[in-house]
Amino acid sequence: MIEGHFASNLPAELLIDRASIARRTDELGERLGELFGNGQPPVLVGVLKGSAMFLADLIRAMDIDVVVDFMSISSYSQSGVVRIVKDLDEDIRGRDVVIVEDIVDTGLSLNYLRKTLTQREPTSLRAVTLLDKTARRIIPVPLEFSAFEIPDVFVVGYGLDYQGLYRNAADILAVRDLARLANDPRLIVPQLFGLKNG
Ligand code: IMP
C-alpha cells in the first residue's frame, strides 16, 4: 500500500515514480513470461486508453512471444452499465488471455470484461492491473496480478488521464484537490511540464 500524503501546496503530489513503475512492470512481465513459457502465445488484451503505456512496457519485459489486442469500453457511472466501444479483433477461443488494466477502482469494468471474455471460452483468463484501489471496490472481482495498491486518491500519469490530459506524464501523481482540477483541467500542466506550455 502506498500512502498518499500531500506535503506541499502543489496541485498534485508524486505518488509513484518512473523507476518504481519500471521495476514492478519488469517483475510482472517476467512472471507472466514464465507462466506461459513455451506454450501458445497468450493474448494480452489492453483496455483502452489508459493501459497503453503499461501494456507497452509489460510485454517488452515478457521474454516470450505474445499477441496483442485492444478493447475499449465505456461505463455510465450512474447506472454502472458498461458497453463495448471497440471489440477484440482476435478470436480468443482456446487461448490463454490476460486482461491488462490501468486501474481497478469499483471493479465494474473488470467484472464486465471478465464476464464477456469468459463467454468466448478462452483456455484461461487472468487480469493484471497497474494500480489497484481496493478501498473503492464495489464488486469483489478476481485480480491475479497487481503492480501497486494505492489509497483512495485520484491519480494521473503513465496512461491515466483527467479529461484526456496527463497520460504522457512518466510518473504517477495524486491529485490534491479534484474540485480545483474540475474547474481548471490543465491545472497540473505547469507542475508537470514547466512553463513550456502552461
Ligand atoms: P472501475 O471503477 O474499476 O470500473 O474503473 C473504471 C475506470 O475509471 C478505470 O479504467 C479508469 O479509466 C477510471 N479511473 C478510476 N480511478 C481513476 C483515477 O484515479 N484516475 C484516472 N482514472 C481513474
Side-chain angles (χ1 to χ4, degrees):
M1 163 74 92
I2 292 164
E3 299 300 329
H5 29 246
F6 295 98
S8 72
N9 283 325
L10 290 167
E13 184 116 323
L14 180 66
L15 188 67
I16 310 171
D17 65 29
R18 61 196 77 186
S20 306
I21 296 171
R23 203 178 317 118
R24 280 296 287 146
T25 306
D26 283 353
E27 280 171 16
L28 285 177
E30 276 170 34
R31 272 175 73 188
L32 286 170
E34 283 163 14
L35 183 67
F36 295 112
N38 308 317
Q40 209 190 4
V43 182
L44 279 274
V45 175
V47 185
L48 293 171
K49 302 172 183 165
S51 74
M53 321 278 160
F54 180 47
L55 177 81
D57 287 338
L58 189 70
I59 56 175
R60 282 178 292 177
M62 292 174 71
D63 213 7
I64 57 166
D65 53 341
V66 303
V67 169
V68 173
D69 206 343
F70 292 99
M71 243 178 131
S72 179
I73 56 171
S74 76
S75 61
Y76 304 102
S77 47
Q78 294 292 317
S79 59
V81 174
V82 182
R83 71 184 174 92
I84 297 175
V85 176
K86 186 232 169 275
D87 207 338
L88 297 177
D89 297 325
E90 296 289 326
D91 179 1
I92 58 165
R93 188 152 189 231
R95 304 296 298 267
D96 291 307
V97 175
V98 182
I99 300 168
V100 182
E101 275 278 17
D102 53 352
I103 187 163
V104 181
D105 185 26
T106 62
L108 282 167
S109 307
L110 182 58
N111 184 57
Y112 173 82
L113 283 167
R114 288 196 86 116
K115 279 200 175 141
T116 305
L117 298 188
T118 299
Q119 285 167 4
R120 300 181 191 182
E121 300 177 346
T123 301
S124 68
L125 181 65
R126 294 178 177 87
V128 54
T129 188
L130 171 68
L131 304 177
D132 183 2
K133 257 193 218 177
T134 43
R136 297 242 319 153
R137 201 74 91 251
I138 292 174
I139 298 181
V141 63
L143 181 54
E144 284 77 10
F145 304 99
S146 148
F148 300 98
E149 187 178 323
I150 63 165
D152 183 8
V153 286
F154 191 84
V155 291
V156 294
Y158 193 66
L160 290 128
D161 75 309
Y162 182 75
Q163 294 192 6
L165 296 166
Y166 309 115
R167 292 194 200 277
N168 63 320
D171 308 299
I172 296 171
L173 295 118
V175 177
R176 184 186 234 297
D177 185 344
L178 207 48
R180 261 185 83 199
L181 189 64
N183 209 31
D184 175 12
R186 300 188 73 224
L187 183 71
I188 307 168
V189 170
Q191 184 184 342
L192 270 177
F193 305 113
L195 297 175
K196 285 193 285 285
N197 55 359

